[in-house]
Structure formats: structure tokens, C-alpha cells
Amino acid sequence: PGRGAHAHESPLVHHSTMGRVIRGQRKGHGSIFKSHTKHRKGAVSLRTLDYAERNGYVKGVIKEIIHDPGRGAPLAVVQFRSPYSYKVEKKLFACAEGMYTGQFVYCGKKAQLVVGNVLPVSEMPEGTVVCNLEHRQGNGGTIARASGDYCTIMTQDADAGKTRIKMPSGARKTISNKCRAMVGLIAGGGRIDKPMLKAGTAFHKYKAKRNEWPIVRGVCMNPVEHPFGGGNHQHIGKPSTVRGDKAHGRKVGLIAARRTGRLRGGKATQALAEKAKEKK
């Protein structure tokens, strides 16, 4: 092009052939999709691991049991007297089923195996049902904290210092036997057994959590808004599986799926057998 051919164009104009920024990309930015944390009661974790817990126990008392917005499980406000200075420490625990106000809670290696007590998994026999489980020693408990969730201690290997546990998903995991856990299962179980029945209930449920409801399907959008949009009749029109390294505007559907479809043949019978075992 000759001199001055693009003189009328501003240097700030970006010519792009890209489509819209789709919903999945907008969610990554945060903004209106952030969690609604204004009325939440605080972080839930076990006591900070200290000398008293490693060698003996610390006694606390449940002051009250409270609701935490956006969480299915109730929380217990547990009050401890600091073993090192003249002060009271308050901690928020995810309630185990059967906890009550005024109950004494003991945390430490020498604590008894009673619902609500916190002790290292090395001190628990095989088959113990636990919750608020740490996956690294001293991290405050990260596994099995949703309502009705629990882990089961499968095997103990004292020589290697390892414990094998069954997760709420049914998967097995090996952790250090110095990790702590609370005896019992999280309260508020059976929450999803009752159907929501109407859209208003779902509205209030997700209002307390974050902006993730209602969900508009990709196939009922226009082609500019979603890779599955457009076409006469609502259909995807391409495989719904997608590579893990695709561009963000195309990364929708079954992302980097290891397998798809229903379980058939040997895998199906294996899955049924595992379910039957869990029920027993």
C-alpha cells in the first residue's frame, strides 16, 4: 500500500477475527463470578499442631453450633485455653454428627477414640470412620468436610509410617500416619436426598454460594457465544470431547476426557461389585 493508505485508522484499533469471550472465559476472570463470602463465619480447620497435641492432649468445650451460609454442614465454635499463655483460643470445626453444645472435645495423641475428638490416624484402629482429615501433617484438615462425608481407615503400616484410607469418593489414598482426623462423620448428611422441587429453592441455595445458577446450555446459544451453538435443531454437531491444550474459547464439553460413555462389560460388573461392598 502507498504512503498514507492507513492514515485514517487510529493506532489503537485492533483488527481481530476472534469471536466473543465465552462464559467459561469470563468465569476465570472472577468479577461477578466470585464466591459470596460476606456473611461466612470464617475458615474451618483443626487446631494448629503444637507440642501439647503431639505428646498429650488439649481439652476444649463446644460453645455453640452455628450455620455457615453456603455450607451444608453446621459449624462448632470450640473454645480452648491456650497451653502457653493466659488466653482463650476459639476454633471453628466442621461438626461431626452427634456433637452438642457443652461437650468436651479432646485434641491430641492421648485423646480417646470418641466422636468429636481429634487424634493422629496412627492411634485409630482399622475401620474407624473419620472426617476433617489432613492429607499433610499439620495442614488443619482438608478431606471429608462436606455434610455427611467421611473417610474410613483401611490399613495401618506402622513400620513405614503410612495409613491407607478410603476417601468419600471411594478412591484409596495413602497418607502419613501423623496426619490428624476427627472421629465420626460430618453432620448434615442426607441433604441431597430431598429434592429441591422448585426453582426458587435452587435460587436461594446458589445465592448463598456464588453466581453459578441457572445454567444456560451451550447448544441453545448462537454460534458466536459457544462452540456448540447454532444450527437448525439443537445439536452439538461435533465431538463433545476436546483436547486439554485447546484455546480457552474452544475448551468446552468433555475436556481431556480419559474415557467417555457408560461402563460396559467387565468394568460395569466391577463397579457394581464395589458398590455392593460399600453398602455392606
Side-chain angles (χ1 to χ4, degrees):
R3 192 175 162 205
H6 299 292
H8 63 282
E9 287 184 10
S10 161
L12 298 175
V13 171
H14 296 290
H15 289 283
S16 172
T17 55
M18 299 296 287
R20 279 183 70 153
V21 174
I22 68 168
R23 181 179 54 197
Q25 293 169 287
R26 290 173 56 226
K27 282 187 175 180
H29 180 63
S31 183
I32 61 165
F33 296 103
K34 285 179 182 168
S35 286
H36 301 163
T37 55
K38 183 175 169 65
H39 299 290
R40 303 232 173 137
K41 300 296 184 276
V44 172
S45 76
L46 304 176
R47 279 186 80 252
T48 307
L49 185 61
D50 54 12
Y51 181 86
E53 275 206 43
R54 276 196 294 268
N55 298 284
Y57 64 82
V58 181
K59 177 182 165 184
V61 62
I62 298 174
K63 281 292 180 187
E64 58 177 332
I65 288 171
I66 56 175
H67 169 67
D68 190 20
R71 186 193 294 269
L75 300 184
V77 180
V78 186
Q79 192 170 293
F80 296 94
R81 288 171 108 171
S82 171
Y84 306 108
S85 58
Y86 182 68
K87 65 176 180 181
V88 165
E89 295 172 348
K90 277 190 176 179
K91 295 298 289 184
L92 279 175
F93 286 3
C95 255
E97 201 166 286
M99 276 184 162
Y100 54 90
T101 49
Q103 179 186 346
F104 290 119
V105 172
Y106 299 89
C107 302
K109 190 178 181 182
K110 300 280 173 73
Q112 289 184 321
L113 196 73
V114 176
V115 169
N117 286 359
V118 177
L119 47 159
V121 291
S122 60
E123 305 300 310
M124 299 176 183
E126 291 170 9
T128 308
V129 167
V130 297
C131 56
N132 285 314
L133 174 70
E134 296 179 327
H135 71 274
R136 283 197 191 89
Q137 184 192 3
N139 74 355
T142 52
I143 301 172
R145 307 200 319 173
S147 53
D149 269 5
Y150 63 91
C151 291
T152 311
I153 291 176
M154 304 301 287
T155 51
Q156 297 275 19
D157 187 352
D159 300 333
K162 299 286 181 189
T163 300
R164 196 155 174 77
I165 56 145
K166 188 164 122 187
M167 312 264 276
S169 64
R172 266 69 166 175
K173 185 179 174 72
T174 305
I175 57 168
S176 164
N177 65 7
K178 290 178 181 172
C179 293
R180 298 170 296 165
M182 183 184 280
V183 183
L185 64 143
I186 299 286
R191 177 170 52 86
I192 57 171
D193 294 346
K194 182 186 174 186
M196 285 203 268
L197 292 177
K198 56 182 191 170
T201 314
F203 169 81
H204 289 295
K205 175 186 173 178
Y206 291 106
K207 187 183 175 196
K209 289 178 182 284
R210 65 200 69 81
N211 176 14
E212 59 178 6
W213 184 92
I215 299 165
V216 179
R217 294 166 303 132
V219 286
C220 65
M221 297 183 189
N222 294 318
V224 72
E225 289 147 357
H226 198 278
F228 295 168
N232 297 336
H233 308 299
Q234 287 184 9
H235 68 292
I236 295 175
K238 56 173 78 67
S240 56
T241 48
V242 64
R243 289 168 61 102
D245 59 3
K246 275 287 188 185
H248 296 306
R250 176 65 185 88
K251 208 168 176 182
V252 293
L254 306 170
I255 298 164
R258 287 198 183 93
R259 58 169 302 282
T260 60
R262 62 194 183 90
L263 291 167
R264 298 178 68 179
K267 281 186 179 175
T269 48
Q270 190 183 332
L272 285 168
E274 279 183 11
K275 269 191 181 175
K277 263 188 200 174
E278 282 173 21
K279 281 179 183 174
K280 283 175 189 175

